[in-house]
Amino acid sequence: MKKVVLITGANRGLGLETARQMSKLDYQVIVTSRDPAKGQAAADSLGASFHPLDVTSPDSRQAVFDYVLAGFGRLDALVNNAGIMLDEGRGLLDLPEETLRLTLETNAFAPLALARLFMPMMAAQNYGRVVNVSSRMGQIAHLNDYAPTYRLSKLLLNGMTRILADAVRGKNVLVNAVCPGWVRTDMGGSGASRSLEQGASGIVWAVTLPEGGPNGGFFHDGRRVAW
Ligand code: NAP
């Protein structure tokens, strides 16, 4: 039976490229997107399944969980990819509180909520891979006032990666954070140094880790990086 992988924000950018690479492996890919038309088109182009998911909506998260349970009976891998960077050019002291709230909700709280939904199922089936798509902008040594809420959200995502990994230790559920590098997407911009293929390959590496692989780490291109 094919392993089932769900990817958030898979209608474009790194999420779509991860879905494309996973589709070439022996995985049943579930593309999710908050825009149903774009998500369905992306899924159709890959021969993947589709379900709408706005990661910030509790109802939407529950609906995708119900869909996975009813349709597949299991989830083998969760890629928390959806993310936003709204605060470029604004410092922590002068950006709107709504920016802070929405960034933390989308980039940190939503991945945690999805992990809490799906990880008990993974622990029970003694198999699971959770990949939190993070950024070295959230490394402690790199914290500064450029894109401050984005940095804080990734710092929080990295912290929860470690704690979630500890929560499932010994259950063959591996939870890791991955930085794709600076990638040419809408977020990364056209001047970024890396292609989509290069960026997504480190995510696919973490999804496909064998039993006994690293748990609770932070990686770039399969190599451990500092928190
Ligand atoms: P992107 O091209 O801007 O794509 C972001 C994706 O997230 C889109 O599919 C977007 O959907 C989705 N999204 C945002 N809010 C959402 C929500 N509430 N519910 C569901 N989906 C939502 O960005 P990207 O470069 O591919 O980034 C993907 C991940 O990589 C992010 O976590 C980002 O922080 C991380 N990352 C990127 C880089 C880089 O250089 N590109 C570097 C380090 C880390 P819509 O189309 O509906 O907006």
Side-chain angles (χ1 to χ4, degrees):
M1 200 174 83
K2 283 186 172 187
K3 289 194 171 69
V4 184
V5 56
L6 184 152
I7 303 164
T8 67
N11 54 296
R12 63 186 166 101
L14 282 159
L16 176 58
E17 175 60 19
T18 301
R20 193 184 68 76
Q21 293 188 18
M22 292 306 307
S23 297
K24 290 190 172 163
L25 304 175
D26 200 21
Y27 279 76
Q28 174 65 46
V29 177
I30 304 172
V31 164
T32 68
S33 161
R34 62 180 163 179
D35 182 319
K38 289 180 184 161
Q40 187 70 62
D44 290 348
S45 74
L46 302 173
S49 306
F50 171 72
H51 199 274
L53 174 62
D54 179 338
V55 296
T56 61
S57 157
D59 289 348
S60 184
R61 293 193 295 257
Q62 186 62 48
V64 85
F65 177 79
D66 294 344
Y67 161 79
V68 169
L69 202 58
F72 304 94
R74 62 187 285 125
L75 187 71
D76 297 291
L78 167 66
V79 181
N80 278 317
N81 164 79
I84 53 175
M85 187 200 278
L86 302 175
D87 55 1
E88 273 183 280
R90 304 287 291 270
L92 195 55
L93 299 183
D94 68 351
L95 50 78
E97 186 172 314
E98 184 51 25
T99 300
L100 181 57
R101 196 179 301 281
L102 188 59
T103 303
L104 291 175
E105 199 177 333
T106 306
N107 295 5
F109 187 79
L112 177 58
L114 286 166
R116 279 163 46 87
L117 272 177
F118 285 107
M119 282 179 62
M121 181 198 286
M122 293 175 174
Q125 73 199 16
N126 209 46
Y127 184 93
R129 303 290 180 261
V130 177
V131 182
N132 292 324
V133 182
S134 187
S135 167
R136 281 175 293 181
M137 286 177 75
Q139 283 179 310
I140 291 176
H142 288 166
L143 295 180
N144 60 47
D145 200 30
Y146 174 76
T149 61
Y150 181 79
R151 286 182 197 274
L152 280 176
S153 71
K154 297 301 189 182
L155 177 68
L156 189 52
L157 184 65
N158 288 350
M160 68 182 61
T161 299
R162 287 187 68 120
I163 295 174
L164 289 169
D166 191 45
V168 290
R169 209 163 286 286
K171 304 233 168 62
N172 191 23
V173 179
L174 305 177
V175 189
N176 291 293
V178 168
C179 174
W182 185 27
V183 180
R184 291 186 289 278
T185 64
D186 292 339
M187 184 187 288
S190 56
S193 56
R194 309 194 87 205
S195 68
L196 276 172
E197 289 79 1
Q198 289 171 314
S201 67
I203 299 171
V204 170
W205 170 84
V207 174
T208 56
L209 282 172
E211 185 164 5
N215 185 31
F218 186 19
F219 295 92
H220 170 65
D221 284 348
R223 287 189 294 277
R224 207 174 275 275
V225 293
W227 297 105

